[in-house]
Amino acid sequence: MMPQTLKACAPPPYPMAPSMTRVTRFIRESAEVFTFDLAPERATPFTPGQFNMLYAFGVGEIPISISGDSQAPERLTHTIRAVGPVSAALGGLKAGDQVGLRGPFGVGWPVEEAKGFDVLLIGGGIGLAPLRPAIYWLLRHRAAYGRVGVLYGARTPDDLIFVSELEEWRKTPDFQLRVAVERAAPDWTGDVGYVTPLLSKLRYDPADTVAMICGPEVMIRATALALEDAGIADSRIFVSMERNMKCAIGHCGHCQFGPLFICKDGPVHRYDRVRDLLAYREL
Ligand SMILES: Cc1cc2nc3c(=O)[nH]c(=O)nc-3n(C[C@H](O)[C@H](O)[C@H](O)COP(=O)(O)OP(=O)(O)OC[C@H]3O[C@@H](n4cnc5c(N)ncnc54)[C@H](O)[C@@H]3O)c2cc1C
Ligand code: FES
């Protein structure tokens, strides 16, 4: 056992050193998207909307939002779209394989501040994954909120993620869910097109609504505009932003977005604080 004096002097964990975790469950969501659970040594509390840095050994490290339940921090769930070397390497793992983990990092969704309001969550593609912990939170604390609505858009029915949960949510009383795909075969009975026209199908009071958006930047811009047109104040619209990251702790500048660092000021930002920056596509 370490003598008490030495223990007291031990340096805090180095924030750039990943801890070792193992994959405990692997689920394929679609051709490109997969979900896995990690079992960290200690329960790792997080708030909905925060992210971890996941390290695929010998390949690299990437930021990935936590897509699981913040009330069950002994299990860290991540849902990932394979787009390049690191995400593809993570997609090749199976239960029992090791992953390096740093986190959780960042500022998440304003689930506490939204208490008493109607809440709209709008996800595009893989953007439903960072919203899922907020959905779990709202379902668990349902009485604390007004009306709740989720809009989810994907390219095709085959690209939908969390399909069995979508069915459960659809049947949940007092919970509005609309799913739209951009293209579908004639046997698709749901909505076709973008999510923004579906806003008019949800019941909410624009004067008393908090909205949370996650998806590709073009979808974020269009959705935020539609919400403003519907009468929701820009200070009550929250968006989750993505940029390349290295340190995730505000040191390296890789994720700089105007005066902000996405890793520590976000990834979730109030829309009125980033709207002008979002107008610059290469920022
Ligand atoms: C805070 C935060 C949270 C994130 N959460 C998730 C998540 O929950 N699930 C998830 O799948 N991804 C998430 N991402 C995106 C993820 O980090 C990137 O997809 C990943 O870094 C790609 O790394 P790579 O080495 O596999 O591919 P790279 O070599 O980095 O990229 C391969 C190709 O994909 C493109 N690309 C890279 N990132 C993105 C992106 N975000 N969107 C679209 N195209 C991209 C690149 O331009 C390039 O053409 C998040 C990013 C941030 C900043
Ligand atoms: S990733 Fe280094 S400052 Fe944000």
Side-chain angles (χ1 to χ4, degrees):
M1 210 168 102
M2 196 185 280
Q4 201 55 43
T5 42
L6 278 184
K7 210 171 165 186
C9 297
Y14 179 55
M16 294 300 288
S19 63
M20 221 53 75
T21 58
R22 283 191 192 276
V23 175
T24 52
R25 188 180 64 134
F26 188 103
I27 302 167
R28 185 144 291 284
E29 303 278 355
S30 70
E32 290 176 347
V33 178
F34 56 91
T35 293
F36 59 52
D37 291 347
L38 299 175
E41 264 180 22
R42 277 181 296 281
T44 307
F46 67 94
T47 57
Q50 283 194 301
F51 69 96
N52 283 318
M53 295 298 286
L54 300 187
Y55 179 54
F57 288 96
V59 189
E61 190 186 47
I62 54 173
I64 297 292
S65 298
I66 306 169
S67 66
D69 190 349
S70 57
Q71 309 284 294
E74 68 285 353
R75 183 179 62 233
L76 288 175
T77 304
H78 299 84
T79 301
I80 304 171
R81 184 156 72 96
V83 295
V86 184
S87 48
L90 292 171
L93 299 180
K94 55 187 185 321
D97 286 344
Q98 286 189 322
V99 176
L101 172 77
R102 292 195 293 127
F105 297 117
V107 178
W109 302 110
V111 286
E112 285 292 348
E113 297 84 335
K115 281 185 172 160
F117 288 86
D118 291 348
V119 184
L120 300 181
L121 302 99
I122 303 133
I126 191 77
L128 185 62
L131 284 169
R132 188 167 68 163
I135 296 175
Y136 288 151
W137 176 279
L138 293 169
L139 289 172
R140 212 182 276 266
H141 302 92
R142 185 66 195 83
Y145 299 88
R147 286 165 286 199
V148 173
V150 174
L151 297 180
Y152 170 40
R155 277 174 302 183
T156 72
D158 288 341
D159 295 311
L160 294 173
I161 60 173
F162 309 146
V163 173
S164 56
E165 269 179 312
L166 291 175
E167 286 314 313
E168 273 174 44
W169 295 339
R170 204 188 292 284
K171 291 183 211 142
T172 303
D174 223 9
F175 186 90
Q176 310 169 75
L177 171 71
R178 301 293 294 234
V179 177
V181 295
E182 288 169 35
R183 301 183 301 282
D187 61 344
W188 169 255
T189 53
D191 294 292
V192 177
Y194 294 127
V195 282
T196 39
L198 296 180
L199 270 175
S200 61
K201 313 260 184 200
L202 297 182
R203 292 178 310 281
Y204 60 96
D205 175 0
D208 254 330
T209 294
V210 170
M212 309 179 195
I213 315 172
C214 188
E217 236 163 84
V218 60
M219 172 262 178
I220 289 180
R221 282 194 296 264
T223 308
L225 272 180
L227 291 169
E228 282 186 289
D229 285 349
I232 299 178
D234 54 6
S235 58
R236 296 232 181 100
I237 301 173
F238 293 82
V239 301
S240 187
M241 304 283 309
E242 290 187 5
R243 284 294 178 276
N244 283 340
M245 286 188 186
K246 286 282 177 218
C247 71
I249 51 173
H251 286 179
C252 71
H254 263 77
C255 68
Q256 189 159 4
F257 183 55
L260 305 169
F261 286 157
I262 300 286
C263 66
K264 71 175 177 59
D265 302 315
V268 174
H269 296 271
R270 234 172 70 178
Y271 177 62
D272 57 332
R273 296 183 177 148
V274 295
R275 184 193 19 224
D276 292 347
L277 298 169
L278 273 165
Y280 298 97
R281 285 176 194 235
E282 299 303 323
L283 200 64

Short mmCIF file of all heavy atoms in Angstrom, two decimals, residues 122 196 199 204 213 217-234 237 239 271 275 278 281:
data_model
loop_
_atom_site.label_atom_id
_atom_site.label_comp_id
_atom_site.label_asym_id
_atom_site.label_seq_id
_atom_site.Cartn_x
_atom_site.Cartn_y
_atom_site.Cartn_z
N ILE A 122 -34.09 18.32 -31.93
CA ILE A 122 -34.11 18.08 -33.38
C ILE A 122 -32.76 17.52 -33.78
O ILE A 122 -31.72 18.18 -33.61
CB ILE A 122 -34.42 19.38 -34.13
CG1 ILE A 122 -35.78 19.92 -33.63
CG2 ILE A 122 -34.50 19.15 -35.64
CD1 ILE A 122 -35.79 21.34 -33.31
N THR A 196 -37.44 20.26 -40.95
CA THR A 196 -37.97 21.58 -40.60
C THR A 196 -39.49 21.73 -40.85
O THR A 196 -40.18 22.29 -39.99
CB THR A 196 -37.19 22.71 -41.33
OG1 THR A 196 -36.89 22.29 -42.65
CG2 THR A 196 -35.92 23.05 -40.60
N LEU A 199 -41.91 20.84 -37.94
CA LEU A 199 -42.08 21.67 -36.75
C LEU A 199 -43.54 22.06 -36.55
O LEU A 199 -44.05 22.12 -35.44
CB LEU A 199 -41.28 22.97 -36.90
CG LEU A 199 -39.84 22.95 -36.40
CD1 LEU A 199 -39.17 24.27 -36.75
CD2 LEU A 199 -39.81 22.70 -34.90
N TYR A 204 -46.37 22.98 -29.19
CA TYR A 204 -45.48 23.65 -28.24
C TYR A 204 -45.85 25.13 -28.23
O TYR A 204 -46.46 25.62 -29.19
CB TYR A 204 -44.00 23.46 -28.62
CG TYR A 204 -43.63 24.01 -29.98
CD1 TYR A 204 -43.07 25.28 -30.10
CD2 TYR A 204 -43.86 23.28 -31.14
CE1 TYR A 204 -42.74 25.81 -31.35
CE2 TYR A 204 -43.55 23.80 -32.39
CZ TYR A 204 -43.00 25.06 -32.49
OH TYR A 204 -42.70 25.58 -33.72
N ILE A 213 -30.56 21.40 -30.91
CA ILE A 213 -30.35 20.90 -32.28
C ILE A 213 -28.98 20.24 -32.40
O ILE A 213 -27.96 20.80 -31.94
CB ILE A 213 -30.38 22.03 -33.33
CG1 ILE A 213 -31.54 23.00 -33.08
CG2 ILE A 213 -30.44 21.48 -34.75
CD1 ILE A 213 -31.48 24.24 -33.98
N GLU A 217 -23.86 20.96 -40.04
CA GLU A 217 -23.99 22.40 -39.83
C GLU A 217 -25.07 23.03 -40.71
O GLU A 217 -25.78 23.93 -40.28
CB GLU A 217 -22.63 23.08 -40.06
CG GLU A 217 -22.23 23.88 -38.84
CD GLU A 217 -20.77 24.25 -38.80
OE1 GLU A 217 -20.39 25.26 -39.42
OE2 GLU A 217 -20.02 23.50 -38.16
N VAL A 218 -25.21 22.52 -41.93
CA VAL A 218 -26.22 23.09 -42.83
C VAL A 218 -27.62 22.87 -42.24
O VAL A 218 -28.51 23.72 -42.33
CB VAL A 218 -26.05 22.51 -44.26
CG1 VAL A 218 -26.18 21.01 -44.29
CG2 VAL A 218 -26.99 23.14 -45.24
N MET A 219 -27.81 21.71 -41.62
CA MET A 219 -29.10 21.40 -41.00
C MET A 219 -29.31 22.26 -39.75
O MET A 219 -30.42 22.75 -39.49
CB MET A 219 -29.11 19.89 -40.66
CG MET A 219 -30.28 19.41 -39.85
SD MET A 219 -29.80 19.30 -38.11
CE MET A 219 -31.29 18.77 -37.34
N ILE A 220 -28.22 22.49 -38.99
CA ILE A 220 -28.33 23.33 -37.79
C ILE A 220 -28.80 24.73 -38.18
O ILE A 220 -29.72 25.30 -37.60
CB ILE A 220 -26.97 23.41 -37.05
CG1 ILE A 220 -26.65 22.07 -36.39
CG2 ILE A 220 -26.97 24.53 -36.01
CD1 ILE A 220 -25.34 22.04 -35.63
N ARG A 221 -28.16 25.29 -39.23
CA ARG A 221 -28.51 26.66 -39.64
C ARG A 221 -29.97 26.74 -40.08
O ARG A 221 -30.71 27.62 -39.65
CB ARG A 221 -27.59 27.12 -40.80
CG ARG A 221 -26.20 27.55 -40.35
CD ARG A 221 -25.48 28.30 -41.45
NE ARG A 221 -25.23 27.46 -42.60
CZ ARG A 221 -24.08 26.82 -42.83
NH1 ARG A 221 -23.08 26.96 -41.99
NH2 ARG A 221 -23.94 26.07 -43.89
N ALA A 222 -30.39 25.77 -40.92
CA ALA A 222 -31.76 25.80 -41.45
C ALA A 222 -32.77 25.61 -40.32
O ALA A 222 -33.82 26.29 -40.27
CB ALA A 222 -31.94 24.71 -42.50
N THR A 223 -32.47 24.72 -39.39
CA THR A 223 -33.41 24.43 -38.31
C THR A 223 -33.51 25.61 -37.36
O THR A 223 -34.61 25.97 -36.91
CB THR A 223 -32.97 23.16 -37.56
OG1 THR A 223 -32.77 22.12 -38.50
CG2 THR A 223 -34.01 22.72 -36.55
N ALA A 224 -32.37 26.21 -37.02
CA ALA A 224 -32.40 27.36 -36.11
C ALA A 224 -33.21 28.50 -36.72
O ALA A 224 -34.01 29.16 -36.04
CB ALA A 224 -30.98 27.81 -35.79
N LEU A 225 -33.04 28.72 -38.04
CA LEU A 225 -33.83 29.77 -38.71
C LEU A 225 -35.32 29.47 -38.63
O LEU A 225 -36.13 30.36 -38.34
CB LEU A 225 -33.44 29.85 -40.19
CG LEU A 225 -32.29 30.76 -40.55
CD1 LEU A 225 -32.04 30.71 -42.06
CD2 LEU A 225 -32.63 32.20 -40.12
N ALA A 226 -35.67 28.19 -38.87
CA ALA A 226 -37.09 27.80 -38.83
C ALA A 226 -37.66 27.99 -37.42
O ALA A 226 -38.81 28.41 -37.26
CB ALA A 226 -37.25 26.35 -39.29
N LEU A 227 -36.85 27.68 -36.41
CA LEU A 227 -37.32 27.85 -35.02
C LEU A 227 -37.53 29.33 -34.71
O LEU A 227 -38.51 29.71 -34.06
CB LEU A 227 -36.30 27.24 -34.04
CG LEU A 227 -36.20 25.71 -34.06
CD1 LEU A 227 -34.98 25.24 -33.27
CD2 LEU A 227 -37.46 25.07 -33.48
N GLU A 228 -36.60 30.17 -35.19
CA GLU A 228 -36.76 31.61 -34.97
C GLU A 228 -38.03 32.10 -35.67
O GLU A 228 -38.79 32.88 -35.11
CB GLU A 228 -35.55 32.36 -35.51
CG GLU A 228 -34.34 32.30 -34.60
CD GLU A 228 -33.23 33.19 -35.12
OE1 GLU A 228 -32.63 32.84 -36.17
OE2 GLU A 228 -32.99 34.24 -34.51
N ASP A 229 -38.23 31.63 -36.92
CA ASP A 229 -39.45 32.03 -37.65
C ASP A 229 -40.70 31.59 -36.90
O ASP A 229 -41.74 32.26 -36.98
CB ASP A 229 -39.47 31.38 -39.05
CG ASP A 229 -38.49 32.08 -39.99
OD1 ASP A 229 -37.98 33.16 -39.60
OD2 ASP A 229 -38.22 31.52 -41.08
N ALA A 230 -40.59 30.45 -36.20
CA ALA A 230 -41.76 29.96 -35.44
C ALA A 230 -41.96 30.75 -34.16
O ALA A 230 -42.93 30.51 -33.43
CB ALA A 230 -41.58 28.48 -35.14
N GLY A 231 -41.02 31.63 -33.82
CA GLY A 231 -41.21 32.51 -32.66
C GLY A 231 -40.40 32.14 -31.44
O GLY A 231 -40.61 32.70 -30.36
N ILE A 232 -39.46 31.19 -31.58
CA ILE A 232 -38.64 30.81 -30.42
C ILE A 232 -37.44 31.76 -30.34
O ILE A 232 -36.74 31.99 -31.35
CB ILE A 232 -38.18 29.34 -30.53
CG1 ILE A 232 -39.41 28.43 -30.57
CG2 ILE A 232 -37.25 28.96 -29.37
CD1 ILE A 232 -39.11 26.96 -30.72
N ALA A 233 -37.19 32.32 -29.16
CA ALA A 233 -36.09 33.28 -28.99
C ALA A 233 -34.75 32.61 -29.28
O ALA A 233 -34.53 31.45 -28.89
CB ALA A 233 -36.10 33.81 -27.56
N ASP A 234 -33.83 33.34 -29.96
CA ASP A 234 -32.54 32.73 -30.30
C ASP A 234 -31.73 32.35 -29.04
O ASP A 234 -30.90 31.46 -29.07
CB ASP A 234 -31.72 33.61 -31.26
CG ASP A 234 -31.54 35.03 -30.75
OD1 ASP A 234 -31.94 35.31 -29.61
OD2 ASP A 234 -30.98 35.85 -31.51
N ILE A 237 -32.42 28.72 -28.06
CA ILE A 237 -32.07 27.66 -29.02
C ILE A 237 -30.62 27.26 -28.73
O ILE A 237 -29.75 28.13 -28.58
CB ILE A 237 -32.20 28.17 -30.48
CG1 ILE A 237 -33.64 28.62 -30.74
CG2 ILE A 237 -31.78 27.10 -31.48
CD1 ILE A 237 -33.84 29.30 -32.10
N VAL A 239 -27.29 24.66 -29.81
CA VAL A 239 -26.79 23.84 -30.92
C VAL A 239 -25.49 23.16 -30.48
O VAL A 239 -24.70 23.74 -29.74
CB VAL A 239 -26.53 24.70 -32.19
CG1 VAL A 239 -27.81 25.39 -32.62
CG2 VAL A 239 -25.45 25.75 -31.96
N TYR A 271 -27.47 29.53 -29.38
CA TYR A 271 -27.43 29.91 -30.78
C TYR A 271 -27.13 31.40 -30.99
O TYR A 271 -26.40 31.77 -31.90
CB TYR A 271 -28.75 29.51 -31.44
CG TYR A 271 -28.86 29.90 -32.88
CD1 TYR A 271 -27.97 29.39 -33.83
CD2 TYR A 271 -29.86 30.77 -33.31
CE1 TYR A 271 -28.06 29.75 -35.16
CE2 TYR A 271 -29.96 31.13 -34.64
CZ TYR A 271 -29.06 30.63 -35.56
OH TYR A 271 -29.15 30.99 -36.86
N ARG A 275 -24.46 32.37 -33.86
CA ARG A 275 -25.14 32.54 -35.15
C ARG A 275 -24.26 33.25 -36.18
O ARG A 275 -24.11 32.81 -37.31
CB ARG A 275 -26.45 33.30 -34.97
CG ARG A 275 -27.22 33.38 -36.28
CD ARG A 275 -28.37 34.36 -36.28
NE ARG A 275 -28.26 35.32 -35.23
CZ ARG A 275 -29.27 35.69 -34.47
NH1 ARG A 275 -30.45 35.14 -34.63
NH2 ARG A 275 -29.10 36.60 -33.54
N LEU A 278 -21.49 31.05 -37.41
CA LEU A 278 -21.95 29.96 -38.28
C LEU A 278 -22.12 30.41 -39.72
O LEU A 278 -22.15 29.60 -40.64
CB LEU A 278 -23.29 29.42 -37.76
CG LEU A 278 -23.20 28.33 -36.70
CD1 LEU A 278 -24.53 28.14 -36.01
CD2 LEU A 278 -22.75 27.03 -37.33
N ARG A 281 -18.50 29.67 -43.46
CA ARG A 281 -18.45 28.22 -43.63
C ARG A 281 -17.11 27.59 -43.29
O ARG A 281 -17.04 26.46 -42.87
CB ARG A 281 -18.84 27.84 -45.05
CG ARG A 281 -20.33 28.01 -45.15
CD ARG A 281 -20.89 27.77 -46.49
NE ARG A 281 -22.24 28.31 -46.44
CZ ARG A 281 -23.32 27.64 -46.73
NH1 ARG A 281 -23.25 26.41 -47.13
NH2 ARG A 281 -24.50 28.20 -46.62
#
